[in-house]
């Protein structure tokens, strides 16, 4: 996304350190969430929004500046957590444990796959987490960078 300017994603969601939903033509805009951590312009905020399979919730990543840097690569040095939220802005729930960089989620049924960078144990790859509130992720494939469900 471009900080300060909205970007249409699949004609439905755009991000500007805020998450909104809208019709394909941009009408009927509805505010969903404003990022908490805006301390690092161009890096922080909310990103990677995706609809749940039933289109009732969104999942997104958000920078967590409360966690010490865990990955010594400029721009990838702060944790990102995955969160879900209802389309009315209620029910904000963290899916992943603070610490790793958890980004680019893709949601199918009760499972979210995502890219994980973890400097603590040098894991870079695909991981998954169940959307049931237990926050326990499972590593799927070392070395995978961007993962997607294929219908």
């Amino acid at each position: 996304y471009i900080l300060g300017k909205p970007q249409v994603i699949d004609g439905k969601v755009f991000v500007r350190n805020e998450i909104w939903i809208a019709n394909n033509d941009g009408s009927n805009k509805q505010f969903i969430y404003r990022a908490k951590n805006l301390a690092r312009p161009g890096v922080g905020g909310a990103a990677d929004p995706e609809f749940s399979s039933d289109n009732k919730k969104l999942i997104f990543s958000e920078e967590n500046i409360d966690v010490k840097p865990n990955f010594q690569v400029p721009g990838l040095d702060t944790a990102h957590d995955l969160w879900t939220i209802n389309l009315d802005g209620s029910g904000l729930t963290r899916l992943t444990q603070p610490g790793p960089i958890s980004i680019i989620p893709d949601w199918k049924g009760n499972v979210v796959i995502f890219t994980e960078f973890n400097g603590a144990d040098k894991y870079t790859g695909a991981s998954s987490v169940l959307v049931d509130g237990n926050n326990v992720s499972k590593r799927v494939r070392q070395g995978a960078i961007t993962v997607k469900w294929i219908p």
Side-chain angles (χ1 to χ4, degrees), residues 30-99:
Q30 180 184 340
F31 172 78
I32 304 295
Y33 179 77
R34 178 165 170 52
K36 298 181 296 276
N37 301 322
L38 303 178
R40 294 171 29 150
V43 177
D48 307 323
E50 289 281 336
F51 284 99
S52 62
S53 300
D54 62 7
N55 291 317
K56 293 183 179 180
K57 293 180 177 253
L58 288 173
I59 187 168
F60 61 95
S61 64
E62 182 173 10
E63 183 181 27
N64 184 342
I65 62 172
D66 296 327
V67 174
K68 291 181 181 180
N70 74 351
F71 210 86
Q72 301 306 313
V73 176
L76 289 177
D77 61 351
T78 302
H80 287 255
D81 304 326
L82 295 182
W83 297 82
T84 61
I85 194 166
N86 296 323
L87 294 186
D88 66 2
S90 68
L92 181 66
T93 304
R94 184 192 340 248
L95 280 187
T96 54
Q97 292 294 319

Side-chain angles (χ1 to χ4, degrees), residues 3 21-22 24 36 43 47 50 60 97 112 131 139:
L3 185 66
I21 57 174
N24 288 341
K36 298 181 296 276
V43 177
E50 289 281 336
F60 61 95
Q97 292 294 319
V112 171
V131 185
R139 291 178 171 169

